Amino acid sequence: MQEEAEAPEIVSEFPAPPKFFALYAEGVESGPAPPEPMEPTYHMFGSPYSTQDVVPDLLPQPGKKVYAPEGDEGDAAAVDYKAQMKKINRSLLANFVELVDVLIKKPVMFNEKLDDIELLFLNMHNLINGFRPHQARETVIQMLKTQVQERRDAARDIRRTIDESRLAVERVHGELHESTDDATAADGASPAGTDEDVKMENVDGTGATGIGGDQANASGAASAAALTPAQQEQAEKSREARQMQEQFFSALEAAMN
C-alpha cells in the first residue's frame, strides 16, 4: 500500500485549463472582472518591481547627491551631465590623494575617505544611468539603419541578378533564332522529296516521271519561302517564351520599384 501511495503521479503533457476557466464559459461578462493593475510597485519572489519604465535612482536619499540641476531642483533634465561628471572626476582624484595622505598619517581614519569615494562613484554612476534611455534610442536607430542597409544591398543584388538573367535569356533567344534561320535556309536549299517526284519505271524498263513532276518543282520553290509546320510551331513557342519573359521582368521591376 505504501508503494502504491508513493508512486509518481502521471501528469498530462497538455493539462486541462484551470478551474476558474469555467466561470467564463458563457462569455467575458459571466465571470468576475480581472483585478486592477498593481501600481506603482509589485513584489515577486520577495523582490519589489516597478510598473513604470524609469531609470532607477541609485541615490534616493536626500542629501546624497553632490550634483544639482541648473534649473529647478526637481527638474532632472536640466542637469549639465558633462560638467558635473568632470567635477566629480576631479573630486575623485582629490579624494584619492587625501586617502593616500590619511593612510600615511592616520591609518585609522581611512574608512571616512572610503565612504566619500564610494559616494562620489555612486553619483557618477547615477549620472551615467541618465544616458541609458538615450543609449537605447541610439542603439535602436543604429539597428534600423543596419537593417535598411542590408535590405538595400539585397535589393541591389536582386537587380543585378535580374539584369544578368535578362542578358542570358536574350542571348539564348538570339542563338535560338539564329539556329532557326539556319535550319530554314537549309530546308529551302535542299530538294523537297515527295511521292510525286519519284521516278517510276514501266514494265518495259523505260523511266517515266510522276504525274506531278512539274508541280513538285513549283512546290519546292514555295516551301523554300515558307516554314514547315514544325518550324512554325517552334517559332510560335519562341514568341510565347519571349512574351512570358517580358511580362515576368516587367512585373519584377514593378515590384522592386
Side-chain angles (χ1 to χ4, degrees):
M1 296 295 292
Q2 293 180 355
E3 293 180 357
E4 294 180 357
E6 294 177 357
E9 182 182 359
I10 299 176
V11 180
S12 175
E13 185 176 359
F14 301 100
K19 294 182 179 180
F20 65 84
F21 182 80
L23 300 175
Y24 303 92
E26 298 179 359
V28 180
E29 294 79 8
S30 61
E36 296 292 333
M38 294 176 289
E39 292 182 355
T41 58
Y42 65 95
H43 289 75
M44 184 172 63
F45 301 113
S47 300
Y49 293 91
S50 176
T51 57
Q52 299 177 356
D53 190 10
V54 295
V55 179
D57 191 359
L58 300 179
L59 298 169
Q61 301 87 359
K64 292 290 185 179
K65 295 179 181 178
V66 297
Y67 59 90
E70 295 178 350
D72 300 334
E73 294 183 358
D75 189 6
V79 177
D80 188 357
Y81 290 92
K82 187 175 181 180
Q84 294 296 332
M85 291 182 71
K86 285 183 177 180
K87 183 174 68 175
I88 293 174
N89 191 25
R90 288 193 294 267
S91 299
L92 280 171
L93 294 176
N95 277 269
F96 180 76
V97 173
E98 292 178 1
L99 175 62
V100 174
D101 187 61
V102 168
L103 289 174
I104 294 173
K105 296 179 179 180
K106 298 179 181 179
V108 183
M109 300 177 61
F110 76 96
N111 286 328
E112 296 180 1
K113 280 300 170 185
L114 285 180
D115 294 339
D116 294 340
I117 292 175
E118 182 181 1
L119 181 61
L120 290 173
F121 272 115
L122 287 175
N123 277 269
M124 181 175 284
H125 198 71
N126 205 29
L127 287 173
I128 293 173
N129 284 344
F131 286 99
R132 297 303 180 188
H134 175 71
Q135 180 187 9
R137 287 192 296 270
E138 292 297 325
T139 302
V140 173
I141 291 172
Q142 187 63 32
M143 187 186 304
L144 293 176
K145 287 182 178 179
T146 303
Q147 293 178 0
V148 169
Q149 186 62 35
E150 290 177 353
R151 285 172 172 80
R152 287 177 178 173
D153 295 340
R156 185 168 57 253
D157 294 339
I158 291 173
R159 289 192 179 95
R160 185 178 65 253
T161 305
I162 291 173
D163 294 337
E164 293 175 356
S165 302
R166 183 192 297 275
L167 293 175
V169 172
E170 290 177 354
R171 184 174 63 254
V172 171
H173 273 292
E175 294 175 356
L176 180 61
H177 283 297
E178 290 178 359
S179 62
T180 304
D181 295 339
D182 295 340
T184 303
D187 291 340
S190 61
T194 59
D195 294 339
E196 297 176 351
D197 297 334
V198 178
K199 292 184 178 181
M200 301 178 64
E201 293 184 356
N202 295 330
V203 178
D204 55 359
T206 59
T209 306
I211 300 174
D214 296 335
Q215 297 178 356
N217 295 329
S219 63
S223 63
L227 295 176
T228 62
Q231 293 173 350
Q232 291 178 358
E233 183 179 358
Q234 186 176 6
E236 185 66 25
K237 289 182 179 179
S238 299
R239 284 193 296 270
E240 292 178 357
R242 181 176 289 275
Q243 291 177 359
M244 292 177 63
Q245 171 199 354
E246 292 176 354
Q247 292 176 359
F248 169 75
F249 284 117
S250 299
L252 192 57
E253 288 180 355
M256 292 298 297
N257 296 328

